[in-house]
Amino acid sequence: MAAYFWRFEDVPPADTVPQTASTSAASVALSKDLKKRGWAFVGPTTAYAFMQAMGLINDHAIGCAFSDRVAEARANFSPPR
């Protein structure tokens, strides 16, 4: 199951993601795929929030106390395939 979600990984440079973002191309794609599979009420914003919580999207601003820690953790992580 984890490999399914990691197919939609979205790793833009943190300084290019506005802090007001609530969707991304990856969250739109995930939402559409889940709807094709019969899920309801899973829009791009909900998918984006899920992807943030699971680490598929890193939108910590440069200078954020966690930005470097998240980047390091992602660099040492091998997503399931």
Side-chain angles (χ1 to χ4, degrees):
M1 179 63 87
Y4 167 78
F5 289 106
W6 277 96
R7 292 186 309 158
F8 297 95
E9 179 182 16
D10 190 15
V11 191
D15 60 345
T16 65
V17 177
Q19 290 299 295
T20 57
S22 61
T23 64
S24 69
S27 71
V28 171
L30 174 58
S31 172
K32 285 182 181 180
D33 193 65
L34 288 172
K35 286 180 181 180
K36 280 188 220 175
R37 296 171 183 268
W39 290 50
F41 307 108
V42 182
T45 302
T46 302
Y48 189 84
F50 169 78
M51 294 171 83
Q52 282 178 309
M54 299 307 297
L56 281 76
I57 292 177
N58 175 16
D59 64 351
H60 287 272
I62 299 299
C64 169
F66 293 99
S67 180
D68 292 338
R69 291 173 57 188
V70 170
E72 182 181 338
R74 288 185 63 82
N76 294 322
F77 177 73
S78 297
R81 299 288 177 202

